[in-house]
Amino acid sequence: MPQLDELVNQWVQHLETSEPALAPHLDEIADHVGADAQARIDTGSDVSVAFAAAVEAFGAPRDVAKDYLVSARRSERRAAAGYGAVVIGVSLIVTTTAVLIDKAFYPLDPRWLALGLVVPPVAALCIVMWRLSNNRAASRLGEPR
């Protein structure tokens, strides 16, 4: 519907200038508002009334921008914590492997050897569990894994 597309495009241009934080998400927002307005038009509403109701249902742009910003910060923190866990896990695996190789030539007290045999699998298990929890969280949110 050309008139609806024009209204959505004008509104998106307004959002782009008034809320620059939403710029990366404007296509998604336009699709959401356009689909909502189209559903209202399909139920018999006038184009302008349906569009106004869809925009109102979407919420105030400043509040939406804050929500997107908070969500982005959470994602960044989650990713940073995950990368930190992976770095720590990999460093534990590499260090333990180096010690085990070294101690193959110079025998080590059996208690330390047992610890060296336990740490790499535990670190690997932690990494795998972190990846699984990330995949579950991404699938719940509908994000790509």
Side-chain angles (χ1 to χ4, degrees), residues 14-87:
H14 171 71
L15 274 182
E16 190 173 24
T17 57
S18 66
E19 295 298 332
L22 290 176
H25 310 285
L26 288 177
D27 290 338
E28 177 186 351
I29 292 169
D31 290 344
H32 176 73
V33 170
D36 187 11
Q38 187 61 50
R40 292 170 192 268
I41 291 169
D42 292 342
T43 61
S45 292
D46 182 50
V47 174
S48 58
V49 173
F51 176 72
V55 168
E56 186 177 329
F58 180 72
R62 184 157 312 265
D63 294 339
V64 173
K66 286 179 186 176
D67 290 343
Y68 271 98
L69 186 60
V70 167
S71 177
R73 285 183 182 157
R74 279 191 198 128
S75 295
E76 289 170 1
R77 286 185 193 134
R78 194 177 322 122
Y83 293 136
V86 169
V87 167

Side-chain angles (χ1 to χ4, degrees), residues 53-118:
V55 168
E56 186 177 329
F58 180 72
R62 184 157 312 265
D63 294 339
V64 173
K66 286 179 186 176
D67 290 343
Y68 271 98
L69 186 60
V70 167
S71 177
R73 285 183 182 157
R74 279 191 198 128
S75 295
E76 289 170 1
R77 286 185 193 134
R78 194 177 322 122
Y83 293 136
V86 169
V87 167
I88 290 169
V90 169
S91 66
L92 280 172
I93 291 170
V94 169
T95 302
T96 304
T97 304
V99 168
L100 287 176
I101 291 170
D102 179 53
K103 295 309 169 189
F105 299 105
Y106 302 102
L108 185 63
D109 182 17
R111 291 175 293 179
W112 289 105
L113 182 61
L115 181 64
L117 293 174
V118 170

